[in-house]
Amino acid sequence: MADVAALAQERTQLMADVLAGRIPKRVPVVPALTYEFSVQYAGMDLMSAAWNLENFEPVCDRICQDFYADYFPVIHLRFPALYKTLGAKNWIMGSQGFMQHPEVVGLLEEEYDEFISSPYDCIMEKILPRIYTNLDTDPQTRSITMAKAFKIFNDEFGNIGMVAAKLSRKYGYANANLFTAAPSAPFDFVADQLRGFRNIMKDVRRIPDKVEAAVKAVTPLLIKMGTPAAPAPNSAVFMPLHMAPYMREKDFARLYWPTFKECVEAFAEMGIPTLLFVEQDWMRFLDYLYELPENTIMWFEYGDPKLSKEKVGSKHIITGFYPVTFLYTETAVECIDKAKEVIDILAPGGRYYFNFDKSPLTLGSVNPENIKAVLDYVAQNANY
Amino acid sequence: MQTKYYKTWEEYKAQHPEISKREEKAMAARMQGYEEAMFAFVMFLLI
């Protein structure tokens, strides 16, 4: 037990150093494996495992036993019980048990003004009943459905928190939390489930003033969503970024950047950095990202690691860039060589921890033995 | 936040003048905690 406590202390120090911009003793290893991948790896049926809370601990325990990590390595966010109870259109379970996200439109074009006037009222009265069909009913039935859904939400996150804490103690993981909350960037919030991908692209060109007003109106809600009750050490607000790579720079500068920056700055002022999942290729926007508060964490998917290190690496913390597809197509030796290449570019000077460019989604999309080989290699060799 | 579906403690208290100072001390944090939890839940439904 003393050894595990010492290990946890050492790993906590690694995370504390990297998050503060100090050079740690070695590169921290922080993989984020999806629960779906983990269930399949553990040899369980995904549909059954995803529906039943009690499977989360044994599945995660198996992952913790077999894959090196300095931080609790499993992420889980989509709960079928919740979405089924609500009659969701936005998250639907496929035949294999995966939660899939079809294009949805929660906000009609003619409702922009209503949303701008009071986004939260519009969410409650128009958007939720449109996306969650079981809320589009009489007040009594709706209140019962909401009560059940809220109970499921708390049961699921309560279970995840309990299991993560228990296994962190068991395996000596760092005392850190990089996912305290997960607000969207304001433009993404309006795009993702309110207007939908196709509509928002038209809106940007046809009614940019409405889009701008909507994005500004919802910003305080997203700052509130990411605000921690009490900021804890070694923690971060997680913010996945979606739409910018599909935008012209002039639209990005006007409609995406100002409120996104406002959110990240607001969290920094509260003493909590933001972990940005920089999805797709943001190389066009690196100069913008540089302007964010110091030690913002940037988990890059695609792009040029050298250019990113050069442009933002002296001020911000970088992770990602290791192509998860490599873990499927290449040999273990080639996978390790790729890790060396990525580390040689990103680790010098600190402000870097190891993670893949995205989370492996299914067992069939990666070779788990390659994941193990890479994580072990980084843990044993990426010393400063 | 301009909405009828979320209230700060101060807004709640203004609508309930019968709440004594002693009651307020005992109940404010818990009541506000549920308000915050419901807000977090509603926003989660759209991410």
Side-chain angles (χ1 to χ4, degrees), chain A residues 126-371:
Chain A
K126 296 283 172 65
I127 298 168
L128 291 187
R130 190 168 286 137
I131 292 179
Y132 295 104
T133 58
N134 291 347
L135 299 178
D136 187 16
T137 182
D138 63 87
Q140 293 78 11
T141 306
R142 183 181 185 183
S143 63
I144 290 169
T145 301
M146 259 326 234
K148 286 193 282 190
F150 186 57
K151 173 81 168 70
I152 294 165
F153 171 79
N154 284 299
D155 286 350
E156 294 279 5
F157 276 115
N159 186 55
I160 291 170
M162 185 270 292
V163 170
K166 184 177 175 182
L167 295 180
S168 291
R169 284 193 300 274
K170 181 176 176 181
Y171 290 95
Y173 291 136
N175 182 12
N177 184 355
L178 302 177
F179 301 89
T180 57
S184 309
F187 184 93
D188 287 332
F189 187 86
V190 174
D192 287 351
Q193 302 198 35
L194 272 53
R195 294 295 292 138
F197 187 92
R198 275 173 297 190
N199 287 328
I200 196 71
M201 288 314 199
K202 285 189 225 161
D203 295 350
V204 162
R205 288 172 186 261
R206 290 175 49 241
I207 46 170
D209 293 349
K210 298 279 187 197
V211 175
E212 183 177 36
V215 167
K216 282 182 178 172
V218 82
T219 299
L221 274 65
L222 293 160
I223 292 173
K224 181 171 175 53
M225 185 184 180
T227 300
N234 309 324
S235 61
V237 177
F238 178 65
M239 184 182 282
L241 307 177
H242 296 151
M243 294 300 294
Y246 305 99
M247 299 173 76
R248 295 178 297 185
E249 184 174 352
K250 70 171 191 174
D251 295 329
F252 172 84
R254 178 184 174 190
L255 301 174
Y256 196 107
W257 173 248
T259 51
F260 162 48
K261 182 167 177 263
E262 186 182 339
C263 289
V264 177
E265 287 176 341
F267 301 139
E269 280 166 21
M270 294 171 208
I272 186 162
T274 307
L275 163 53
L276 304 173
F277 184 21
V278 189
E279 296 187 40
Q280 248 291 334
D281 185 337
W282 275 61
M283 295 303 103
R284 285 190 291 139
F285 304 115
L286 286 174
D287 291 333
Y288 287 91
L289 292 177
Y290 181 82
E291 295 303 319
L292 294 172
E294 187 178 10
N295 292 329
T296 296
I297 309 162
M298 299 175 184
W299 175 6
F300 285 100
E301 187 178 15
Y302 303 132
D304 182 342
K306 275 186 194 161
L307 183 66
S308 303
K309 183 72 174 177
E310 192 182 300
K311 289 220 168 192
V312 303
S314 62
K315 183 178 178 185
H316 300 303
I317 297 151
I318 294 177
T319 188
F321 277 127
Y322 185 107
V324 83
T325 49
F326 236 72
L327 301 165
Y328 177 65
T329 58
E330 309 301 320
T331 66
V333 171
E334 288 164 328
C335 289
I336 288 170
D337 286 345
K338 187 68 181 176
K340 289 178 189 171
E341 180 191 318
V342 171
I343 289 166
D344 283 347
I345 295 167
L346 297 175
R351 287 196 159 99
Y352 169 67
Y353 66 79
F354 184 85
N355 189 7
F356 303 109
D357 65 349
K358 62 177 82 60
S359 298
L361 184 60
T362 65
L363 190 60
S365 62
V366 288
N367 177 349
E369 297 309 312
N370 285 347
I371 300 181

Side-chain angles (χ1 to χ4, degrees), chain A residues 77-78 82-83 86 90 118 120-121 123-125 131-132 149-150 153 182 184 189 193 221 224-225, chain B residues 1-8 32-47:
Chain A
L77 196 60
R78 301 299 172 196
L82 174 67
Y83 295 112
L86 289 165
N90 54 345
S118 177
Y120 200 65
D121 284 359
I123 285 170
M124 295 298 291
E125 293 167 5
I131 292 179
Y132 295 104
F150 186 57
F153 171 79
S184 309
F189 187 86
Q193 302 198 35
L221 274 65
K224 181 171 175 53
M225 185 184 180
Chain B
M1 188 162 60
Q2 290 289 324
T3 178
K4 50 190 162 180
Y5 302 111
Y6 170 90
K7 287 185 178 61
T8 63
Q32 193 60 37
Y34 290 124
E35 199 74 14
E36 301 302 334
M38 185 53 75
F39 173 80
F41 169 63
V42 166
M43 294 299 286
F44 174 83
L45 294 178
L46 293 173
I47 61 155

